[in-house]
Amino acid sequence: MISALNYLRTQFKRSLKYYPAVIAVTMALIVCAGLLLFGIIANNEGKESKLKVKVGMVGEIEESHMGVGISMLQEIDSSRYYVEFVPLDTKEAEKRLKNGELLGYINVPEGFVDSVIDGENLPLTYIAGSDPSALTPLLIEEVLSLVSDLVLECQNGVYAMYDAGQNYGLEYSELRNGMEELNIRYFDAMFSREEAFTVKNIGTGKELGFGDYYMAAFFILLPLLWGIVCLPLETKRDMSLYRMLRSRGLSPFAQCVGDYIPFLLIIAIGTLLMLLCGNAVTAHLNMSLGIFGSANMVSSFISLLPAVILVTAMQFLLYELTSDLISTLLLQLISTIGLSFISGIFYPAGALPSILRNIGAVTPVGVAFDSIAALFNGYPGTADAFICLGYAAVILLCAALVRSIRIRSVGK
Amino acid sequence: MKKALMWLLMLWKRLLLKKGFILLLVMIPLSALLINLSASSEHGFITIAVATDSSDELSGAVADELCNDKKAFRFLRCDTEEDAIRLVESLKADAAWVIEPRLAESITVAAPAGKLKIATVYQREENVLLRMAREKLYSAVYPDISYSLYRSYVTEELLPNQKISEEELKEYYSQYSDKESIIDIVYPDGSAYNEKSDYITSPLRGLFVIMLMLCGLASSAYFLSEEKRGVYSLVTSGKRTLIMAAGNLCALITAGMFVTLALVMSGLYTDFWRESLNMILLIITSTLFCTCLGRIIGSVNGLCLTVPIILVTAIVFCPVFVNLNTAKPIQILLPPYHYLNAVYDGSVLWNSVIYSLSATAVCIILGCIRKRNAR
């Protein structure tokens, strides 16, 4: 009779032989995605300018009204916090748009200002770049819509005033003065629009900042990717070995435990390495980001473990479902991408439609992510850990059940 | 010719018998359907709770206008200030706007004096998105502010001694009300802006082409697995690269059809000729990329280990979720990068043509090296 301990020992040895390959691929993954993401987050953390976009201005913007208008926008208007207007010529604007240095550029036609004064309104053309996120273009669309409304309503009021004055027999010079004065009032109202709001900040409470959120997401994505890297080790191509073990007294559940623990160990060691690397980098940059920079690495690692156990249990179950290497790869990748999307790894969960948010929250990836987010927030909960471990136990039982069914099925 | 067609048919048929490949193909339009359905429900990158005075018609109308505009922001109506603040404290909303009671009256009196208050804003902390959201509220109220400024100036400064009725003032103002926007939004090739663009569905195009590339990589992996089993032992070494490329082409043409269907289902499909040309170039470049990669790596295990790295690289460096302007040498190696940049800028298509020619040369060299090693 083969004991569970002997089987576990054998699987450990088998995993250790494969570990150098895992390390090599893991390092490639870290170099490729992790440091880049880390750099982006570290550069953008805490800066309000992180969403400040550049919009080019092409055309006759040096003439007095347009040039003054843009200067005023950049210096005193509240839009200076999120958009920067860059005067350029057409060729430079096209080049910078292609290179992604500009979100878009506005083409100001010749005689634009005069056309607005005369009420003919030659249109401005905004040439939009193909930003994939669609969020910043959406926001710029909102801003452009506001600009158009401000100009049109101002025009409305000034022309209406002119008509009223003309109807009541006012002289041209009085009407001209009236137009200028009313324009000034409109400008005043426009530039002081922030004062129309009384803003009270009530504190962040239990909310993760931008950098911490995506660092927590990274801590879920990496174990998922490492799990896929273990593909040649974990794919159950042939059930004959497991049938033999079953016939020698090793139950499917014991087999699953013997296979799962070395798999978990590989991922857990990878997570520890990630923590050590992150700590070294944050110490070098003299900053604190998420749980990096924390004094107690052991405590951080132990707090991360329940989430890692849950994610690896899910992957282990997926490995039990297929027998072909390539099908296993495809299943793992589809699950990783799909579950990551709905669990808020790519977009903040709050930004997703409620149906996706609700489904994502109950998936293993979503539950693990919530647990890590709580840890990053400084509020690690034992309840989160127990939920992760309980969920993982259920998944492993399912994996054992699948193993048992596959062992019994003939000819597979 | 007949032999070539026979080969293509067999390569295609064997792909359609692979369950994993079929699953991947089906997932493409299925995910488009699911995401599109869910995107039709309420969502917003930030959520704002709006509390209004129930007796004030204007603030109710403003709140309705905001709630009906479903783009970047999501607005929730609340009956009381306390309800709105509670949503912010419980992280269900990013900010609460408590619209001033008797807003219409406030605009009429305070706006001309420059002392207008529209709303009290409760938020956890200030950020750029919340500033932009306040612009939206101002824009919703601005027509009334504008009218108030005009009315006040005409009655108090311009014609103080005349008795002008409210109807007359409105008549002058309404003459110029139906003007179109002064800003047209277009793409670099002059095509009209996609007003239905949504941050939820926008990355779908990038994700679909990544799944298309995954189909090509899976096809390469199937070929390597079959080659190892000796399926192609009667074929000379030099021709096996060609067969691998043909198999990848079959896989990618099939995937391309599903991706096109998914683009139509998710509302991202633009112009027939542009999309067709772009897709054909993507299929060609992806075929060559997957063939080169398969030949360079040479083993199924090695290719399976490389696939996650390729996918992560593609998601990070191609403009799927963000447009990172960095690591150009890596970006230009990835077929999805050229495809996604060419969607709204046709002049970039030449990059795909140059890529195809270069990758063809690499494939031929790899084939020759393999042939020489086999002798």
Side-chain angles (χ1 to χ4, degrees), chain B residues 33-236:
Chain B
L33 182 68
L34 292 172
I35 299 288
N36 219 33
L37 278 175
S38 59
S40 61
S41 66
E42 258 192 23
H43 62 279
F45 211 80
I46 56 172
T47 303
I48 295 167
V50 182
T52 59
D53 179 0
S54 54
S55 59
D56 185 45
E57 213 177 284
L58 176 61
S59 57
V62 164
D64 284 339
E65 188 186 323
L66 291 171
C67 290
N68 289 334
D69 193 322
K70 299 175 199 306
K71 286 215 168 172
F73 309 114
R74 181 173 156 238
F75 297 98
L76 304 172
R77 286 289 291 266
C78 293
D79 295 324
T80 64
E81 181 175 337
E82 289 75 28
D83 288 343
I85 294 171
R86 209 170 295 127
L87 287 177
V88 176
E89 287 169 347
S90 61
L91 307 186
K92 290 182 182 154
D94 296 284
W97 292 346
V98 181
I99 311 279
E100 288 293 303
R102 296 193 297 278
L103 182 64
E105 211 176 292
S106 172
I107 290 175
T108 308
V109 172
K115 293 178 183 170
L116 174 67
K117 288 289 173 199
I118 297 175
T120 305
V121 173
Y122 296 91
Q123 56 193 29
R124 287 189 292 281
E125 60 173 358
E126 180 75 291
N127 64 48
V128 169
L129 282 173
L130 290 174
R131 270 187 204 276
M132 283 182 158
R134 291 201 291 274
E135 304 281 28
K136 199 159 175 67
L137 174 56
Y138 190 83
S139 178
V141 179
Y142 192 70
D144 298 273
I145 296 172
S146 170
Y147 179 78
S148 170
L149 289 173
Y150 144 77
R151 182 186 173 283
S152 156
Y153 185 76
V154 168
T155 55
E156 292 167 19
E157 304 283 335
L158 192 73
L159 303 165
N161 301 320
Q162 303 290 345
K163 281 188 185 160
I164 310 176
S165 68
E166 194 61 35
E167 287 73 29
E168 197 179 344
L169 284 168
K170 280 184 182 165
E171 201 185 313
Y172 291 127
Y173 195 83
S174 63
Q175 278 179 58
Y176 305 98
S177 292
D178 56 352
K179 284 194 176 162
E180 287 177 4
S181 172
I182 62 165
I183 302 178
D184 289 335
I185 308 178
V186 297
Y187 289 112
D189 59 3
S191 57
Y193 183 68
N194 183 4
E195 287 186 356
K196 291 181 199 164
S197 68
D198 186 315
Y199 65 88
I200 296 289
T201 53
S202 268
L204 283 181
R205 185 186 284 272
L207 287 175
F208 292 153
V209 300
I210 299 233
M211 287 167 92
L212 181 142
M213 202 169 71
L214 185 56
C215 288
L217 291 168
S219 173
S220 286
Y222 285 132
F223 178 87
L224 289 171
S225 165
E226 286 157 359
E227 193 181 29
K228 193 177 172 187
R229 290 202 318 264
V231 171
Y232 305 106
S233 51
L234 293 179
V235 180
T236 57

Side-chain angles (χ1 to χ4, degrees), chain A residues 22 28 52 70 89 102 108 111 142 149 156 176 183 247 250 259 282 301 314 322 366 368 386:
Chain A
V22 175
K52 196 168 179 176
I70 291 171
D89 59 51
L102 293 178
V108 180
E142 300 276 5
D149 289 345
N156 233 7
R176 280 294 304 228
N183 265 320
S247 70
L250 196 65
D259 289 337
T282 44
F301 176 65
M314 180 196 80
T322 50
F386 278 119

Side-chain angles (χ1 to χ4, degrees), chain A residues 362-374:
Chain A
V362 298
T363 61
V365 175
V367 170
F369 186 39
D370 284 342
S371 163
I372 290 188

Side-chain angles (χ1 to χ4, degrees), chain A residues 260-272:
Chain A
Y260 173 70
I261 291 175
F263 175 53
L264 171 64
L265 191 67
I266 290 175
I267 310 300
I269 293 175
T271 308
L272 182 61

Side-chain angles (χ1 to χ4, degrees), chain A residues 82 99 141 163 167 347 351, chain B residues 71 135 172-173 176 199 325:
Chain A
Y82 47 81
N99 290 342
E141 203 189 312
D163 286 349
N167 245 7
Y347 276 138
Chain B
K71 286 215 168 172
E135 304 281 28
Y172 291 127
Y173 195 83
Y176 305 98
Y199 65 88
N325 219 13

